[in-house]
């Protein structure tokens, strides 16, 4: 697969260098959900529009991706989209219900329901709108910072497709793992196949890094993680990298398994350059457990953004001392919440840049 686009030259490569463990002048920083409802301009732009209609408009995705970069000196942009566009591409109806979140009117109930899914998804046709959004955004970014593409991981998507929405126990989806392990593997494999083509399409469209969100790792235990999550995470990275190598491309990949601390050692050996961490892991022990094999990303508690700015600065300093400044990308341990003060997000970004430059000089 060849990249046919000529994009503006990249001016700030700190994020990509950190992904590869190379030296940088400052620690790069971005935030999960940086394009989101905490920004008044986001709320204004999204007002009255259907969420997935917005996802299907490349111009709207481009505008929403760029909004946070106009305010803050983030070192990376992440394309505005959603992980649930994949179940949609496989034939499922998904709606964003205000006050409730993503909702599947007809979730998968029993293994026979797998027959209702598209057996062969034409990813270019179904998800071409995401590729168009990426290409447009990469041009509009004008080389300011790299653009990150993303996907949900198979287990996380499977959980949504069976639960039909958010869940605290994920008991319907976990029931499949214990009662229908074969059908579970079949579904996970179907998802993996679509995800690989989807990620390669994102790179061909202009994505310069890829993040895989295993947001529901936390409801699995180590044994189920080994069987139903890790093999597919590995498969995705290996297949994407093999294909990219053939066309001489090097695109770093990040795996973020939320609350998957039990799997940290394995995640650091799963072909990803970067392991994203939530805030329940101590930076020093994360470094020890991953043995310098990967770069790390994270992991300030998003709620620390409710603290006064001086306190945010202290927390960031401690976090940087714990991770060190090499092979490290600062981020939150999960996404920003809608009630967060944009000023404090700015204070977070500034603290990362200032403290890391100071630590680098020492
Ligand atoms: O990070 C970014 O700025 C890029 C955009 C992005 C969105 N969703 C936009 C969005 C990304 C990377 C996602 C990924 C995503 N979507 C995940 C994985 C990350 C995670 O949070 O663990 C998950 C689980 C989803 C599914 C999803 N989409 C949920 C649970 C929600 C929240 C529903 C709610 O009402 O709070 C969404 C909606 C969503 N996706 C919003 C945004 C900015 C907010 C709704 C809106 O804009 O109206």
């Amino acid at each position: 697969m060849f990249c046919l686009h000529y994009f503006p030259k990249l001016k700030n490569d700190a994020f990509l260098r950190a992904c590869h463990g190379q030296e940088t002048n400052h620690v790069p920083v971005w935030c999960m959900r940086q394009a989101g409802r905490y920004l008044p301009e986001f709320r204004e732009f999204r007002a009255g529009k259907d969420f997935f209609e917005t996802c299907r408009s490349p111009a709207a995705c481009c505008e929403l991706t760029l909004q946070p970069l106009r305010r803050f000196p983030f070192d990376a942009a992440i394309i505005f989209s959603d992980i649930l566009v994949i179940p949609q591409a496989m034939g499922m109806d998904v709606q964003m219900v205000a006050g409730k979140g993503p909702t599947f009117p007809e979730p998968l109930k029993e293994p026979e329901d797998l027959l209702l899914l598209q057996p062969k998804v034409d990813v270019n046709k179904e998800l071409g709108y995401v590729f168009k959004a990426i290409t447009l955004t990469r041009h509009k970014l004008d080389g300011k910072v790299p653009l990150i593409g993303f996907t949900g991981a198979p287990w996380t998507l499977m959980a949504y497709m069976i639960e039909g929405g958010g869940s605290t126990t994920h008991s319907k989806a976990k029931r499949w793992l214990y009662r229908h392990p074969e059908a579970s593997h079949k579904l996970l494999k179907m998802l993996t196949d679509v995800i690989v083509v989807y990620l390669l399409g994102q790179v061909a469209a202009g994505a310069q890094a890829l993040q895989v969100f295993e947001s529901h790792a936390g409801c699995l235990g180590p044994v189920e993680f080994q069987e139903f999550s890790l093999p597919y995470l590995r498969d995705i990275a290996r297949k994407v990298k093999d294909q990219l190598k053939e066309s001489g491309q090097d695109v770093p990949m990040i795996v973020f398994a939320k609350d998957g601390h039990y799997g940290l050692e394995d995640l650091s050996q799963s072909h990803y350059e970067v392991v994203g961490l939530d805030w329940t892991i101590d930076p020093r022990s994360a470094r020890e457990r991953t043995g310098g094999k990967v770069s790390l990303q994270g992991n300030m508690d998003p709620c620390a953004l409710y603290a006064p700015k001086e306190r945010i600065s202290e927390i960031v300093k401690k976090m940087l001392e714990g991770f060190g400044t090499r092979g490290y990308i600062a981020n939150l341990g999960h996404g920003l919440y809608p009630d967060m003060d944009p000023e404090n997000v700015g204070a977070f970004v500034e603290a990362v840049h200032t403290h890391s430059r100071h630590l680098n000089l020492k």
Side-chain angles (χ1 to χ4, degrees), residues 33-35 37 42 46 51 81-82 96 160 213 215 334:
R33 284 283 163 89
Q34 63 190 30
R37 284 171 294 185
F42 178 96
R46 287 263 309 107
F51 178 77
S81 186
D82 201 81
M96 195 59 73
Y160 269 111
F213 285 93
S215 304
H334 202 193

Side-chain angles (χ1 to χ4, degrees), residues 72-314:
F72 313 114
F74 283 125
D75 294 282
I78 180 161
I79 191 68
F80 175 85
S81 186
D82 201 81
I83 60 168
L84 299 176
V85 297
I86 288 188
Q88 287 177 335
M90 293 170 84
M92 294 187 82
D93 184 12
V94 189
Q95 289 152 17
M96 195 59 73
V97 179
K100 193 171 165 214
T103 306
F104 293 63
E106 291 172 68
L108 304 176
K109 290 201 175 67
E110 296 297 333
E112 301 82 79
D113 294 343
L114 294 182
L115 294 170
L116 301 171
L117 298 175
Q118 283 294 330
K120 275 209 163 27
V121 180
D122 184 342
V123 174
N124 277 310
K125 178 166 162 268
E126 298 297 332
L127 294 167
Y129 62 87
V130 180
F131 303 153
K132 285 198 180 110
I134 288 174
T135 303
L136 177 64
T137 307
R138 174 96 182 258
H139 278 293
K140 287 271 159 92
L141 269 169
D142 198 26
K144 195 172 177 185
V145 291
L147 179 60
I148 306 171
F150 70 89
T151 181
W155 158 247
T156 293
L157 294 177
M158 170 180 168
Y160 269 111
M161 290 158 86
I162 296 172
E163 295 293 336
S167 161
T168 40
T169 60
H170 293 98
S171 57
K172 292 192 183 101
K174 289 180 73 180
R175 175 179 165 270
W176 273 51
L177 304 185
Y178 289 101
R179 200 180 178 107
H180 309 300
E182 262 179 45
S184 298
H185 280 298
K186 189 169 171 212
L187 175 54
L188 291 164
K189 170 91 174 52
M190 283 172 84
L191 284 160
T192 300
D193 290 346
V194 177
I195 288 167
V196 168
V197 180
Y198 183 46
L199 290 178
L200 287 167
Q202 292 190 40
V203 173
Q208 290 152 291
L210 299 167
Q211 176 153 321
V212 179
F213 285 93
E214 187 67 292
S215 304
H216 295 165
C219 67
L220 299 175
V223 176
E224 287 67 44
F225 176 76
Q226 286 285 341
E227 181 173 353
F228 297 105
S229 169
L230 187 64
Y232 298 98
L233 291 171
R234 281 199 176 123
D235 241 31
I236 290 166
R238 220 182 24 232
K239 287 182 175 152
V240 168
K241 283 184 183 298
D242 283 353
Q243 286 277 326
L244 290 179
K245 225 186 258 159
E246 274 182 27
S247 53
Q249 295 182 84
D250 180 14
V251 174
M253 294 181 72
I254 307 165
V255 61
F256 174 61
K258 170 125 197 318
D259 294 320
H261 33 81
Y262 52 77
L264 196 48
E265 287 81 357
D266 284 324
L267 287 165
S268 71
Q269 297 174 60
S270 56
H271 317 294
Y272 291 81
E273 282 80 2
V274 185
V275 174
L277 306 169
D278 63 71
W279 64 92
T280 61
I281 307 175
D282 168 68
R284 281 192 175 80
S285 86
R287 278 288 187 215
E288 275 166 31
R289 291 175 56 195
T290 53
K293 285 194 257 321
V294 284
S295 293
L296 295 175
Q297 174 177 282
N299 73 342
M300 189 173 87
D301 181 352
C303 292
L305 290 177
Y306 295 126
K309 288 181 191 158
E310 307 70 48
R311 180 85 185 101
I312 293 173
S313 172
E314 285 167 21

